[in-house]
Structure formats: C-alpha cells, structure tokens
Amino acid sequence: MRRLSLFATTATLLLSTAGLAVAQLPTPPKAPAPPAAARTAPAPAQAAAAADPVVARVGTDEIHASELSDAAKALPEELRSMPPTALYPMLLDQLVDRHVVVIAAKKEGLDRDPAVQRMVARATDSALQNALLTREIAPTLTEEAIKARYERDIAGKPGEPEIHARHILVADEETAKKVIAELNGGADFAELAKKYSTDPGAQSGGDLGFFKKGDMLPEFSDVAFALKAGETTQTPVKTRFGYHVIQVQEVRAAPPPSLDQVRDEVRQSLIQEGVTRVLTAAKTGLPIEKFNVDGSPALPSATPMPMPAPAK
C-alpha cells in the first residue's frame, strides 16, 4: 500500500495545480493585414504557426508561445500575478538562456551520456504519468462530485461523541482525594478548581469545553467518556501531568464538519480512488514480473536483499 500512497501523492500534487490560472502574457504585435484580394484560406501549417507563433530563435532552435505558457504555469503564484509586460521579457530571457545551455550541452555530447539518457527517460515517464492522471482524474473532481461524496461519507453519518467536562489538576493523590471529598460534601467545583488546580484553566473553573475522545490522553479520556452528564470521578485519575478530578457536564454527538472544513480531505479521497482506478485498468492484461535487486528470481518468502550502493 505504500507504493500506492506515493503514487497517489504525486497525483495529488499534480491535480492540485491543474486548475491554476495561467498568466496572461502580452500578445506579440501582428503584421498588417494583407489586401482583401490577397487573402486566402491559411494552410494547416500556417494556421498552426499562427496559433503558436515563434517568439525567439536561438541558433536553429525556435521558442514558441506555448513554451512561454508552460513556463508561466510552473511559476509560483506571486510571480504569475506580475504585470504581463514585466513577466513576458523575464520568461523569454529564461527560456533563451535554457536553450543556450542545452545547445552547449549537446555540443559536448552530454545528450549521449547514459546517466543523462536515464534522467531524460525518467522525465519522459513522469510527464506521461502526469498526463494520464490529469486526463483521467481531473475531470472527475467536480464540485458536484465533491458535494455528493461529502453527503455520503460525512454529512449523512452520526457525529462523533464528545463531552463537555471540567477538571481539577493537583500534584498528588492525597490532595485529589481531598478535593473529591469536598465535592461530595457539596463544595462548588469551580471554586475548588480556583483553590487547588495547577492547570492554566483553573481560573475559569477548570472548564475544558467540548472535546472528543482522541483529543485527550487515553487515561484521561477513558475515564471521562465513561461518565454520564453530571457525574464526577470518585477516584483520582493519574496522567503524566498529575492527578485529575473530572466532572462531565454534557454529552452529545458532535455536529458533522462543514463541506468547507473537509473539502480538501474529500477531494483527496476522490483522487485516491481515481489513482486506484487508473492503476487497475492499466494493469489489466499486462504481465508484471518482480525480481530481487541482483536480478535473481524473487521468492515469496525470501528475505529482502539490501539495496546496492548508488553509483558514484
């Protein structure tokens, strides 16, 4: 399951940026329109060039507007909000410099280096993976789908139990027993909290507000959630902070979180399902073999072999 989790994390990062707006780059000035008599229907190549014009040349390399657009998508949000007149030359300079360095690397024969070729292959695989995940999963992450999943899994289920309690925290068991005896004799809980408790909330009567079982230490929660409204512990409750006297004031089912509170969680659930669906479909009918690190046949009960040291 760890492998699926890592794959799904990649999908989450990819899909979380799929809807980002692309900075609007300034459009290069158009050439004057030809006379009406000279106008003819553009050939397919001309139409493609018009749709994705060349914005720079570096040697024989051409940089197209689409490359600028892709570069803009990769920018941090604060940079994408820059004025187009400032963003356009900055991006264009960066792309020109990139092409200059790539051309120099090819002249040095680095494109034939096995290590570089492996990196290129991994980058290609990553791009293909991202393209498939985006195509298959992104269209399913609609607001309607998120709302439907929220209604099914969260809004329509009973809320988690929670209690409203207060406590008095003291350093030793004898003092805790004394507090319990005074409470049983009719003393006011809030006043005893102010008098004895070492907890920062003593001046508010030891009030903890509402909390769920997992919000507190297990030894505290186990006792508190076993009490009914109005009941007080009759034996001190020990935790690493000291000894507690607990009184439960109200028991209720917590209201479900709003859609806005869990939107990211619901979206992540849909992404995980989408990744599982894509993987299942991709594996159907595809032979898969696994081997040990040294290439020998893997045995189901074999002890995993250590990974080889990375090549220097």
Side-chain angles (χ1 to χ4, degrees), residues 158-191:
E160 184 180 352
E162 63 179 8
I163 61 174
H164 181 193
R166 51 187 180 176
H167 78 137
I168 298 171
L169 175 64
V170 295
D172 58 88
E173 188 175 11
E174 289 305 313
T175 304
K177 289 180 178 179
K178 180 181 177 181
V179 169
I180 292 171
E182 291 187 33
L183 287 171
N184 290 339
D188 182 73
F189 193 101
E191 291 302 318

Side-chain angles (χ1 to χ4, degrees), residues 69-121:
S69 178
D70 291 341
K73 292 177 185 178
L75 289 174
E77 187 172 356
E78 60 271 19
L79 291 181
R80 289 200 308 274
S81 62
M82 287 175 56
T85 52
L87 185 59
Y88 177 81
M90 180 191 76
L91 283 177
L92 192 58
D93 286 344
Q94 289 182 352
L95 291 177
V96 167
D97 289 346
R98 181 189 301 175
H99 278 259
V100 168
V101 173
V102 169
I103 290 170
K106 288 180 178 179
K107 286 181 179 178
E108 295 293 328
L110 290 176
D111 55 327
R112 298 187 296 275
D113 185 295
V116 174
Q117 290 177 341
R118 287 194 297 271
M119 287 190 289
V120 171

Side-chain angles (χ1 to χ4, degrees), residues 124-173:
T124 300
D125 289 347
S126 179
L128 289 170
Q129 170 187 303
N130 292 347
L132 181 62
L133 291 174
T134 299
R135 190 190 72 181
E136 298 296 324
I137 301 175
T140 69
L141 304 178
T142 63
E143 184 65 18
E144 292 73 18
I146 292 173
K147 287 180 179 177
R149 180 56 55 87
Y150 167 77
E151 292 294 334
R152 190 195 78 178
D153 291 350
I154 299 174
K157 291 186 176 180
E160 184 180 352
E162 63 179 8
I163 61 174
H164 181 193
R166 51 187 180 176
H167 78 137
I168 298 171
L169 175 64
V170 295
D172 58 88
E173 188 175 11

